Amino acid sequence: MVIEGMHCAACALTIEDALRSVPGVVQADVSAASQRARVVWNAAAAPPSLWFAAVRRAGYRALPAADAQARQQRVQEKRRALWRWLVAGFCMMQVMMYAWPAYIAHPGDLSAEMEGLLRWASWVICLPVVLFACGPFFASALSDIRHRRISMDLPVALGMAITFIVSSLGTFDPDGLFGREVYFDSLTMFVFFLLTGRWLELRLRDRTAGALEALMNRLPDSVERRGDDGRFVRVGVRRIALGDVLRVLPGEVFPADGPLLAGSTRVDEALLTGESAPRWRTVGGEVCAGSINLESAVEMRVERVGADTRFAEIVALMESASLQKPRLAQLADRVARPFLVFVLLAALAALVWWWPKDPQHALMVAVAVLIVTCPCALSLATPVAMLSAAGALAREGVLVRNLQALESLATIDTVVFDKTGTLTHDGMALRRTEVAAEMSAAEALELAAELARHSLHPLSRALVAAAISGTSQAALDARSWEITDLREAPGSGLTARVRKLHGAGPARTVLLGSAAHAGLPAQDGDGAQVCMAWADQAGPERHAIARFEFEETLRSELPAALRALERAGIAVQVLSGDRAASVARVAQRAQIAAWRGDCTPADKLASLQALQSRGHRVAMVGDGLNDGPVLAGAHASFAVGSAVPLARMRSDFVVLGGQLALIAQSILLARKTLRVVRQNLWWAALYNALCVPLAIAGFMPAWLAGLGMAASSLLVVLNAARLARKLPTLGTLADDADTRRGPRTHAPAHA
């Protein structure tokens, strides 16, 4: 849900308490930073109307996050906040204009009638501030009093009310208990400062949590759907169903997953894969909801819609992460409410202390204490920084599934990689070709590719790719061989009859596959091999044609990523279920000294636990297919690759584009995030330690207290907003890390 009217962590705690008090609500998580809530409930015991009403009784309004009105309500709320700020600013300037003569006049310069006129004018101009600009503070405070609770708006509203009442009494009855002094200028100034801080804070927090907001509103409101008469009619996205044919125009966003039926275009999938370069899609190519059509109109068939799309999985991940509360944030929330009680008691003590000397001054001291000690900065210190970092990572293609993991990631000293699909690409590359005298290497590869194109085996696809790289797709399609009676033995190879199209001679039987399938002796080698041979039907003899040896291709960004990890003081290991010889070759090419092959999932988990028992903080990087236990057991974990359903992953972070460089950037950004959180917490503590004694001693007027409160919250948010910028380059981050980390500690060598 989207919650309206939230301003602080105490609001989030209030809404959580209201929701959890409803019978049937199993779980309620509310985030003040993203202004969202997640409710898990038993539909039979608690219909949604009950807990929506509970939120409304608590003084807030809830809307479903997917509701079309939610975004409109957010825009209206921002406009109201802007109008309140403008009214407060205009009235502040007018009141200051009327207060200025009293500040500069000498005794006797102003007559009693003139002083009274200036006070009455200030009172009249102050009314819009109190009745309109201060509305959210008073509404929240009245709700707190009605429900017998304390939020951060209560002391602020008390300070505003006391200041206005004392100033009004000074205007109506100058000879009364509180004298003739008025504080309309102070009131309007600190209201303006508070609203300025909240407005800027709202803008910065929208930028911080903007990745989720932009993601939620990525899908279009309507799309063109083909009707029974063949014409396309624009309908709402919620009305499309499986099997519908849609036309997506240039610049529009695809609303569902499915193949293209007509047309070709370039598609921007940066949000889904982290790849900034557009991808070419033609007839038969798959497009995903949330990607953007860049070039020309295309038609697509809807195969997955709504919650079944990959886009919906990413939205669900980001929503879940944005509502999580890291340990430091939970600590701040627990401290906030007792601290508010302390604020009220401190203000009461200051009032009692100063009252016998000067009642009017006593009230103003109490107001300053109420305002200056509001713990907004303390409650914002952690969540805003965490969401800023999560937003920056999301824009680069790293989804944060567990916000708590950012704290753990900052302490990592060892990264363990899986091999297949992580350090290497899923495909294979042709490394060497051995041929008999009968054919050249190019001719043998051409024949093998024509056979292999009929198979989906990874090595068959690698053969076709090698042939295409050596020639062109058009040349390969021209075909030099006639192939008949092709059969595939799963896991072994292909058998077919082949004959040269432009040559004499009968058709011959050819075998392509493993050495056993081709009837050739196996050869020692550390790479995968494919053999091709002629089969003589009159006997068991086999005549070798060629032997192709393949190797796994390392990811191009791997060297830069490993250098960045090493410079940051992070050790690297490889744990793989593949053959030890293959793992050793990949580790040697990647210059990783510590590796282990032939690992079962249990072996990987045992190795990880052994590292942890020696005091290492370990991050695991895998492809998510068979690494579930070890991903769950690591202090922090990354799933690399986009083929695995996100919902089945047990990782803390998902690297959508498979770019290993982002892992080093994520670790170093997590360290920077934790430094920013500590800076924010220290600043909030230092600010209160300095300002509370000054306010109690009477050295801080109300307007300065309002300025200090607004400035402290704004400083915390601005400091956290630095994390929301584009991720620095690996070199920059690694240089920064070099100044804070010691030399790299190498993990044990391979077993």
Side-chain angles (χ1 to χ4, degrees), residues 573 596 603-616 618 748:
Q573 288 197 34
R596 182 179 177 186
D603 293 335
K604 290 183 180 181
L605 184 59
S607 298
L608 182 81
Q609 291 171 342
L611 280 171
Q612 292 172 333
S613 66
R614 292 196 292 270
H616 290 287
V618 185

PDB file of all heavy atoms in Angstrom, residues 573 596 603-616 618 748:
ATOM      1  N   GLN A 573      37.957 -16.844  -4.194  1.00  0.00           N
ATOM      2  CA  GLN A 573      38.048 -18.289  -4.344  1.00  0.00           C
ATOM      3  C   GLN A 573      37.057 -18.749  -5.396  1.00  0.00           C
ATOM      4  O   GLN A 573      36.120 -18.031  -5.738  1.00  0.00           O
ATOM      5  CB  GLN A 573      37.738 -19.008  -3.023  1.00  0.00           C
ATOM      6  CG  GLN A 573      38.802 -18.893  -1.961  1.00  0.00           C
ATOM      7  CD  GLN A 573      38.614 -19.930  -0.881  1.00  0.00           C
ATOM      8  OE1 GLN A 573      38.172 -21.047  -1.138  1.00  0.00           O
ATOM      9  NE2 GLN A 573      38.942 -19.553   0.348  1.00  0.00           N
ATOM     10  N   ARG A 596      38.518 -25.069  -5.991  1.00  0.00           N
ATOM     11  CA  ARG A 596      38.179 -26.461  -5.675  1.00  0.00           C
ATOM     12  C   ARG A 596      37.119 -26.933  -6.653  1.00  0.00           C
ATOM     13  O   ARG A 596      36.136 -26.227  -6.893  1.00  0.00           O
ATOM     14  CB  ARG A 596      37.665 -26.576  -4.242  1.00  0.00           C
ATOM     15  CG  ARG A 596      37.338 -28.011  -3.830  1.00  0.00           C
ATOM     16  CD  ARG A 596      36.862 -28.094  -2.403  1.00  0.00           C
ATOM     17  NE  ARG A 596      36.486 -29.456  -2.057  1.00  0.00           N
ATOM     18  CZ  ARG A 596      35.925 -29.816  -0.910  1.00  0.00           C
ATOM     19  NH1 ARG A 596      35.684 -28.890   0.014  1.00  0.00           N
ATOM     20  NH2 ARG A 596      35.607 -31.070  -0.670  1.00  0.00           N
ATOM     21  N   ASP A 603      29.282 -30.069  -0.406  1.00  0.00           N
ATOM     22  CA  ASP A 603      30.708 -29.729  -0.304  1.00  0.00           C
ATOM     23  C   ASP A 603      30.916 -28.216  -0.318  1.00  0.00           C
ATOM     24  O   ASP A 603      31.747 -27.678   0.422  1.00  0.00           O
ATOM     25  CB  ASP A 603      31.477 -30.364  -1.464  1.00  0.00           C
ATOM     26  CG  ASP A 603      31.504 -31.878  -1.401  1.00  0.00           C
ATOM     27  OD1 ASP A 603      31.367 -32.403  -0.284  1.00  0.00           O
ATOM     28  OD2 ASP A 603      31.632 -32.513  -2.461  1.00  0.00           O
ATOM     29  N   LYS A 604      30.177 -27.533  -1.198  1.00  0.00           N
ATOM     30  CA  LYS A 604      30.294 -26.077  -1.262  1.00  0.00           C
ATOM     31  C   LYS A 604      29.913 -25.444   0.069  1.00  0.00           C
ATOM     32  O   LYS A 604      30.601 -24.541   0.557  1.00  0.00           O
ATOM     33  CB  LYS A 604      29.400 -25.520  -2.371  1.00  0.00           C
ATOM     34  CG  LYS A 604      29.848 -25.846  -3.783  1.00  0.00           C
ATOM     35  CD  LYS A 604      28.930 -25.172  -4.799  1.00  0.00           C
ATOM     36  CE  LYS A 604      29.346 -25.475  -6.217  1.00  0.00           C
ATOM     37  NZ  LYS A 604      28.464 -24.804  -7.207  1.00  0.00           N
ATOM     38  N   LEU A 605      28.810 -25.917   0.648  1.00  0.00           N
ATOM     39  CA  LEU A 605      28.359 -25.355   1.926  1.00  0.00           C
ATOM     40  C   LEU A 605      29.381 -25.630   3.023  1.00  0.00           C
ATOM     41  O   LEU A 605      29.662 -24.759   3.854  1.00  0.00           O
ATOM     42  CB  LEU A 605      26.995 -25.938   2.296  1.00  0.00           C
ATOM     43  CG  LEU A 605      26.345 -25.383   3.560  1.00  0.00           C
ATOM     44  CD1 LEU A 605      26.147 -23.876   3.450  1.00  0.00           C
ATOM     45  CD2 LEU A 605      25.008 -26.074   3.826  1.00  0.00           C
ATOM     46  N   ALA A 606      29.982 -26.842   3.036  1.00  0.00           N
ATOM     47  CA  ALA A 606      30.984 -27.168   4.051  1.00  0.00           C
ATOM     48  C   ALA A 606      32.217 -26.277   3.900  1.00  0.00           C
ATOM     49  O   ALA A 606      32.783 -25.803   4.897  1.00  0.00           O
ATOM     50  CB  ALA A 606      31.371 -28.644   3.938  1.00  0.00           C
ATOM     51  N   SER A 607      32.656 -26.036   2.661  1.00  0.00           N
ATOM     52  CA  SER A 607      33.808 -25.157   2.443  1.00  0.00           C
ATOM     53  C   SER A 607      33.506 -23.736   2.900  1.00  0.00           C
ATOM     54  O   SER A 607      34.360 -23.068   3.490  1.00  0.00           O
ATOM     55  CB  SER A 607      34.192 -25.163   0.957  1.00  0.00           C
ATOM     56  OG  SER A 607      34.583 -26.444   0.537  1.00  0.00           O
ATOM     57  N   LEU A 608      32.287 -23.289   2.616  1.00  0.00           N
ATOM     58  CA  LEU A 608      31.892 -21.943   3.038  1.00  0.00           C
ATOM     59  C   LEU A 608      31.891 -21.833   4.561  1.00  0.00           C
ATOM     60  O   LEU A 608      32.407 -20.861   5.129  1.00  0.00           O
ATOM     61  CB  LEU A 608      30.503 -21.621   2.481  1.00  0.00           C
ATOM     62  CG  LEU A 608      29.968 -20.227   2.783  1.00  0.00           C
ATOM     63  CD1 LEU A 608      30.564 -19.215   1.823  1.00  0.00           C
ATOM     64  CD2 LEU A 608      28.452 -20.203   2.669  1.00  0.00           C
ATOM     65  N   GLN A 609      31.340 -22.838   5.231  1.00  0.00           N
ATOM     66  CA  GLN A 609      31.281 -22.808   6.695  1.00  0.00           C
ATOM     67  C   GLN A 609      32.672 -22.896   7.309  1.00  0.00           C
ATOM     68  O   GLN A 609      32.925 -22.315   8.371  1.00  0.00           O
ATOM     69  CB  GLN A 609      30.390 -23.945   7.184  1.00  0.00           C
ATOM     70  CG  GLN A 609      28.921 -23.752   6.844  1.00  0.00           C
ATOM     71  CD  GLN A 609      28.074 -24.966   7.143  1.00  0.00           C
ATOM     72  OE1 GLN A 609      28.604 -26.086   7.298  1.00  0.00           O
ATOM     73  NE2 GLN A 609      26.763 -24.789   7.222  1.00  0.00           N
ATOM     74  N   ALA A 610      33.585 -23.601   6.627  1.00  0.00           N
ATOM     75  CA  ALA A 610      34.964 -23.657   7.123  1.00  0.00           C
ATOM     76  C   ALA A 610      35.612 -22.281   7.071  1.00  0.00           C
ATOM     77  O   ALA A 610      36.329 -21.883   8.008  1.00  0.00           O
ATOM     78  CB  ALA A 610      35.762 -24.661   6.296  1.00  0.00           C
ATOM     79  N   LEU A 611      35.366 -21.550   5.987  1.00  0.00           N
ATOM     80  CA  LEU A 611      35.882 -20.184   5.907  1.00  0.00           C
ATOM     81  C   LEU A 611      35.294 -19.316   7.011  1.00  0.00           C
ATOM     82  O   LEU A 611      36.003 -18.537   7.662  1.00  0.00           O
ATOM     83  CB  LEU A 611      35.553 -19.584   4.540  1.00  0.00           C
ATOM     84  CG  LEU A 611      36.446 -19.954   3.360  1.00  0.00           C
ATOM     85  CD1 LEU A 611      35.838 -19.434   2.060  1.00  0.00           C
ATOM     86  CD2 LEU A 611      37.839 -19.400   3.549  1.00  0.00           C
ATOM     87  N   GLN A 612      33.998 -19.431   7.238  1.00  0.00           N
ATOM     88  CA  GLN A 612      33.341 -18.613   8.256  1.00  0.00           C
ATOM     89  C   GLN A 612      33.833 -18.959   9.648  1.00  0.00           C
ATOM     90  O   GLN A 612      33.960 -18.073  10.507  1.00  0.00           O
ATOM     91  CB  GLN A 612      31.824 -18.803   8.155  1.00  0.00           C
ATOM     92  CG  GLN A 612      31.224 -18.223   6.880  1.00  0.00           C
ATOM     93  CD  GLN A 612      29.764 -18.582   6.703  1.00  0.00           C
ATOM     94  OE1 GLN A 612      29.304 -19.616   7.204  1.00  0.00           O
ATOM     95  NE2 GLN A 612      29.022 -17.756   5.990  1.00  0.00           N
ATOM     96  N   SER A 613      34.135 -20.231   9.874  1.00  0.00           N
ATOM     97  CA  SER A 613      34.629 -20.632  11.200  1.00  0.00           C
ATOM     98  C   SER A 613      36.001 -20.045  11.494  1.00  0.00           C
ATOM     99  O   SER A 613      36.387 -19.905  12.660  1.00  0.00           O
ATOM    100  CB  SER A 613      34.679 -22.161  11.296  1.00  0.00           C
ATOM    101  OG  SER A 613      35.656 -22.679  10.399  1.00  0.00           O
ATOM    102  N   ARG A 614      36.745 -19.697  10.432  1.00  0.00           N
ATOM    103  CA  ARG A 614      38.058 -19.067  10.625  1.00  0.00           C
ATOM    104  C   ARG A 614      37.949 -17.553  10.722  1.00  0.00           C
ATOM    105  O   ARG A 614      38.966 -16.854  10.711  1.00  0.00           O
ATOM    106  CB  ARG A 614      38.991 -19.456   9.470  1.00  0.00           C
ATOM    107  CG  ARG A 614      39.372 -20.924   9.460  1.00  0.00           C
ATOM    108  CD  ARG A 614      40.580 -21.177   8.565  1.00  0.00           C
ATOM    109  NE  ARG A 614      40.284 -20.976   7.169  1.00  0.00           N
ATOM    110  CZ  ARG A 614      39.840 -21.928   6.347  1.00  0.00           C
ATOM    111  NH1 ARG A 614      39.616 -23.152   6.820  1.00  0.00           N
ATOM    112  NH2 ARG A 614      39.615 -21.663   5.076  1.00  0.00           N
ATOM    113  N   GLY A 615      36.741 -17.038  10.795  1.00  0.00           N
ATOM    114  CA  GLY A 615      36.536 -15.612  11.012  1.00  0.00           C
ATOM    115  C   GLY A 615      36.361 -14.788   9.764  1.00  0.00           C
ATOM    116  O   GLY A 615      36.291 -13.556   9.841  1.00  0.00           O
ATOM    117  N   HIS A 616      36.280 -15.432   8.607  1.00  0.00           N
ATOM    118  CA  HIS A 616      36.108 -14.688   7.362  1.00  0.00           C
ATOM    119  C   HIS A 616      34.640 -14.316   7.164  1.00  0.00           C
ATOM    120  O   HIS A 616      33.727 -15.068   7.525  1.00  0.00           O
ATOM    121  CB  HIS A 616      36.583 -15.516   6.158  1.00  0.00           C
ATOM    122  CG  HIS A 616      38.061 -15.702   6.107  1.00  0.00           C
ATOM    123  ND1 HIS A 616      38.935 -14.701   5.774  1.00  0.00           N
ATOM    124  CD2 HIS A 616      38.832 -16.796   6.362  1.00  0.00           C
ATOM    125  CE1 HIS A 616      40.176 -15.149   5.804  1.00  0.00           C
ATOM    126  NE2 HIS A 616      40.144 -16.415   6.171  1.00  0.00           N
ATOM    127  N   VAL A 618      32.090 -13.873   4.297  1.00  0.00           N
ATOM    128  CA  VAL A 618      32.113 -14.439   2.955  1.00  0.00           C
ATOM    129  C   VAL A 618      30.869 -14.037   2.172  1.00  0.00           C
ATOM    130  O   VAL A 618      29.744 -14.111   2.680  1.00  0.00           O
ATOM    131  CB  VAL A 618      32.208 -15.980   3.007  1.00  0.00           C
ATOM    132  CG1 VAL A 618      32.359 -16.549   1.598  1.00  0.00           C
ATOM    133  CG2 VAL A 618      33.377 -16.404   3.878  1.00  0.00           C
ATOM    134  N   PRO A 748      43.044 -20.030   1.593  1.00  0.00           N
ATOM    135  CA  PRO A 748      43.851 -21.233   1.390  1.00  0.00           C
ATOM    136  C   PRO A 748      43.853 -21.658  -0.067  1.00  0.00           C
ATOM    137  O   PRO A 748      42.905 -21.422  -0.807  1.00  0.00           O
ATOM    138  CB  PRO A 748      43.138 -22.269   2.276  1.00  0.00           C
ATOM    139  CG  PRO A 748      42.389 -21.467   3.285  1.00  0.00           C
ATOM    140  CD  PRO A 748      42.009 -20.216   2.593  1.00  0.00           C
TER     141      PRO A 748
END
